[in-house]
Amino acid sequence: MLAEIFGVDGVIVLIVVVVLLFGGAAIPKLARNLGSAKNEFEKGLEDGKKGSSASSLAGSNGTTAAAETPAPAPSPTPVADDPTTRS
């Protein structure tokens, strides 16, 4: 994919720059951290899909414990006429 965008020469230069910036020992750690972050992200997506489908099923068959109703809006408090705010 990168070779299509930058060409082979560009990818080689990019790899050399990354090695120079991070050092040879840090690259495996960086790759490992990126892989674990990707796995956690995908796991979160799967959990979100399972959670949303489970909640929609629970709502459709009426097994929820309590229906969430919005709280009533508070009534506005009367404000005394302030002569300084009149134009």
Side-chain angles (χ1 to χ4, degrees):
M1 181 170 136
L2 287 176
E4 294 173 3
I5 297 172
F6 299 113
V8 176
D9 296 337
V11 173
I12 292 173
V13 170
L14 182 66
I15 290 172
V16 169
V17 169
V18 168
V19 169
L20 289 176
L21 286 175
F22 294 107
I27 291 176
K29 292 178 187 177
L30 180 66
R32 196 174 311 122
N33 288 338
L34 285 174
S36 64
K38 177 185 162 264
N39 289 338
E40 286 186 34
F41 179 75
E42 290 176 348
K43 181 182 174 186
L45 286 177
E46 289 176 11
D47 289 346
K49 288 179 183 177
K50 289 178 184 176
S52 65
S53 64
S55 65
S56 65
L57 290 176
S60 65
N61 63 10
T63 58
T64 56
E68 292 186 29
T69 58
S75 60
T77 56
V79 178
D81 287 336
D82 186 6
T84 60
T85 59
R86 293 185 185 165
S87 48

